[in-house]
Amino acid sequence: MLPDSQQGSLRFCTPSTPTAAQFGAALLLFVLAVSIPAKWATSHIAGLMLVLSLFLARRDDWRSSSFNTFLLICSLWLVPVALSTLVQHLVSLKTATPAAELIKLLLRTAGVGLGILLLLERRWLTIKQAALILLGALALHALAGLFELLQRPTALQFDWRRIRLVGLSGNPNPFGTFMALSLILCVGLLRYRPRNLFLYLTLGASTI
């Protein structure tokens, strides 16, 4: 248990015994992380469940430093986007962003982020567990890309640089973006676990 002065910040301690809530939180984050690169329907379902989980938030959660900091950072770019969209509709601009799309953006950015923070605040997840879950999900996409590369007859030739892998995402752009995120996450975790074989294997698969 953290001291009273730190009750508003993220809790890093790991509970002694796993609970159904902790298992559900881990599964929800994994489904979200593994579904986003491929834009599967499960990403929308997991995101909606994270948004709905905010109904479980208490007043202390909304007053916590993690919630306030996240909302402040999001508002720095979400508020200008919302205001510009409002102005576009006021002047009847034909290319104005639909209101429904703006609401989706707010929910996907602020809602999902706050939902993940709530899991951490309630100690249903720890920072370490969340990082490993995200890395595990990205590792699956890295393995899919590596398998795709090895299936190509020119994989071991010099023109391999011209191969545009798509992995499970079906598109080389999001696949490359999330592999870069996997690489960054591996490098960051290797600072604390320099002998972890899984990190090295994931790093190699993401780099290839």
Side-chain angles (χ1 to χ4, degrees):
M1 181 66 67
L2 295 177
D4 295 338
S5 60
Q6 300 181 13
Q7 286 297 319
S9 59
L10 292 180
R11 302 176 175 92
F12 294 90
C13 53
T14 303
S16 55
T17 56
T19 64
Q22 293 162 3
F23 176 79
L27 180 62
L28 187 60
L29 182 60
F30 177 80
V31 171
L32 178 69
V34 80
S35 302
I36 287 180
K39 296 182 179 180
W40 292 332
T42 48
S43 64
H44 302 289
I45 298 174
L48 179 60
M49 293 183 67
L50 285 171
V51 173
L52 294 178
S53 69
L54 293 176
F55 286 103
L56 301 175
R58 298 187 292 257
R59 183 177 300 179
D60 292 340
D61 295 322
W62 291 104
R63 293 179 177 178
S64 66
S65 60
S66 57
F67 269 48
N68 292 333
T69 302
F70 181 79
L71 287 174
L72 175 61
I73 294 175
C74 285
S75 63
L76 292 178
W77 70 278
L78 284 178
V79 171
V81 170
L83 290 177
S84 63
T85 302
L86 178 61
V87 172
Q88 291 174 359
H89 284 281
L90 290 177
V91 299
S92 301
L93 191 65
K94 293 183 178 180
T95 58
T97 303
E101 294 299 324
L102 179 61
I103 295 175
K104 290 180 182 179
L105 174 64
L106 295 174
L107 291 177
R108 288 175 178 175
T109 304
V112 173
L114 289 173
I116 295 176
L117 284 178
L118 181 63
L119 302 182
L120 297 171
E121 285 285 347
R122 294 297 180 84
R123 286 187 280 180
W124 294 335
L125 276 181
T126 64
I127 297 293
K128 176 182 176 181
Q129 291 169 347
L132 292 178
I133 290 171
L134 292 176
L135 187 60
L138 292 173
L140 291 179
H141 287 276
L143 288 176
L146 184 60
F147 179 78
E148 178 187 356
L149 175 64
L150 296 177
Q151 291 296 308
R152 295 175 180 263
T154 59
L156 300 180
Q157 299 179 11
F158 289 104
D159 62 347
W160 67 272
R161 295 181 182 272
R162 291 181 290 180
I163 298 177
R164 292 174 60 83
L165 302 177
V166 298
L168 298 176
S169 64
N171 189 300
N173 294 327
F175 178 75
T177 299
F178 282 95
M179 288 304 95
L181 292 176
S182 176
L183 191 151
I184 294 172
L185 184 58
C186 286
V187 172
L189 293 176
L190 281 172
R191 295 178 56 189
Y192 305 97
R193 292 193 171 189
R195 298 182 180 180
N196 192 298
L197 179 60
F198 173 69
L199 292 177
Y200 281 105
L201 292 176
T202 306
L203 177 63
S206 303
T207 305
I208 295 174

